[in-house]
Amino acid sequence: MSASIHNAIGIIPARYAAVRFPGKPLALIAGKPMVQHVYERARCAKNLARLAVATDDRRIADAVEAFGGEAIMTSPDSPSGTDRIVEAVGHLSYDIVVNIQGDEPILDAGGIDECVAALSENPDIAVATLAERIVSPDQLIDPNVVKVVNDFDHNALYFSRSIIPFPRGFEGPDGDMDLEKASKQLLYLKHIGLYAYRRDALMKFASMPPSPLEMIEKLEQLRILQSGGKIRIIEVGGRSASVDTPEDIAVVERLLSMQSGTQDSSS
């Protein structure tokens, strides 16, 4: 493993006062706080030299320290998870910073390793993130599922909450869009909100004002694209599941149970 890979830190931003789901990082999933699931998954990554949770709430920090994790206290005034990460690493000297979303409790640590390796092995890549194939028509029309389209070099062309690309020619007999057929025959990618940044790229990104497209879609990665930057997309297999509402917990618990059953049967 190269020195540059060893010089990578993973940060999980976690705040208590989420609008839609207050206290979400501490919500119990299969008996553990969600932040613990994310931390334990991320800790399996081989390409991180350090892992920490950045939070402005002592309750979250106490929970992290209780299960043996590292917590970095940040200001309650940080407007976003990215700003919280910048504050957490401001006095640290890591070359690569990985933003690990705190609402992905079934995170595959292999995706972290792939993003860090992409930056370590390719000096032209400043930002890398993950995507997986969409096979469900329900996800195509779900605005909480962010879609991404790439160029031939696997760099993002655009992220959107809408269906991209639009499946023209897939209308059914009634004139409505046949999303079942489109999702099976066309390549649709769901963005997984995990980012690896070179330190200078992260600092530049955080210093820029929000862009018009970012404000329309409420997707901060569009700030990078609209300013002319590039984001490398790494397609991964498996299945991700984010927790946006309390109702999502039951879905994640079912997936965890399925994963546990698969592991038990293969051992």
Side-chain angles (χ1 to χ4, degrees):
M1 196 177 296
S2 70
S4 59
I5 289 181
H6 279 298
N7 205 23
I9 184 172
I11 300 289
I12 304 168
R15 67 188 185 104
Y16 192 90
V19 175
R20 287 188 296 175
F21 193 171
K24 182 166 70 170
L26 299 183
L28 292 180
I29 299 176
K32 293 181 184 179
M34 180 162 65
V35 68
Q36 183 173 354
H37 283 280
V38 178
Y39 195 98
E40 290 177 347
R41 293 268 179 154
R43 193 161 51 190
C44 294
K46 299 178 176 65
N47 291 351
L48 292 179
R50 185 175 175 183
L51 176 66
V53 174
T55 184
D56 62 347
D57 195 284
R58 192 66 244 176
R59 289 167 291 185
I60 295 175
D62 288 344
V64 171
E65 291 166 357
F67 63 72
E70 179 185 358
I72 298 175
M73 295 302 298
T74 56
S75 168
D77 299 325
S78 289
S80 71
T82 301
D83 294 297
R84 196 172 305 286
I85 288 173
V86 168
E87 182 182 351
V89 303
H91 64 289
L92 304 175
S93 57
Y94 291 91
D95 294 333
I96 295 172
V97 180
V98 185
N99 179 345
I100 301 168
Q101 298 296 307
D103 58 4
E104 291 273 354
I106 60 171
L107 167 76
D108 183 351
I112 297 174
D113 287 333
E114 289 196 54
C115 282
V116 174
L119 269 63
S120 298
E121 297 166 6
N122 300 276
D124 294 336
I125 299 176
V127 185
T129 190
L130 301 174
E132 67 180 6
R133 295 195 176 209
I134 293 175
V135 295
S136 164
D138 292 338
Q139 288 191 327
L140 288 182
I141 59 174
D142 186 347
N144 293 316
V145 175
V146 177
K147 276 69 72 174
V148 60
V149 289
N150 303 336
D151 64 17
F152 290 134
D153 293 322
H154 305 287
N155 295 313
L157 288 170
Y158 193 66
F159 297 86
S160 182
R161 298 183 184 278
S162 300
I163 301 176
I164 53 172
F166 183 82
R168 187 67 184 268
F170 281 78
E171 295 84 359
D174 55 1
D176 292 336
M177 195 62 59
D178 189 341
L179 296 180
E180 181 79 33
K181 182 179 179 181
S183 64
K184 290 180 179 178
Q185 296 189 15
L186 302 178
L187 173 61
Y188 284 96
L189 291 176
K190 170 189 174 182
H191 179 226
I192 301 173
L194 181 149
Y195 301 88
Y197 301 90
R198 295 195 188 280
R199 180 187 175 85
D200 57 350
L202 173 62
M203 298 304 173
K204 178 181 178 182
F205 168 51
S207 70
M208 293 189 296
S211 75
L213 289 174
E214 171 187 358
M215 291 188 288
I216 292 169
E217 295 257 19
K218 299 297 186 287
L219 297 173
E220 65 179 7
Q221 63 268 39
L222 291 175
R223 188 187 318 172
I224 297 175
L225 297 188
Q226 199 164 14
S227 68
K230 292 185 177 182
I231 301 176
R232 177 60 54 90
I233 303 297
I234 298 171
E235 186 179 332
V236 293
R239 181 176 180 184
S240 67
S242 61
V243 175
D244 298 309
T245 67
E247 292 72 28
D248 293 331
I249 289 177
V251 176
V252 171
E253 287 182 330
R254 285 197 297 271
L255 292 172
L256 286 170
S257 178
M258 291 168 58
Q259 289 182 352
S260 177
T262 301
Q263 291 170 357
D264 292 342
S265 64
S266 62
S267 60

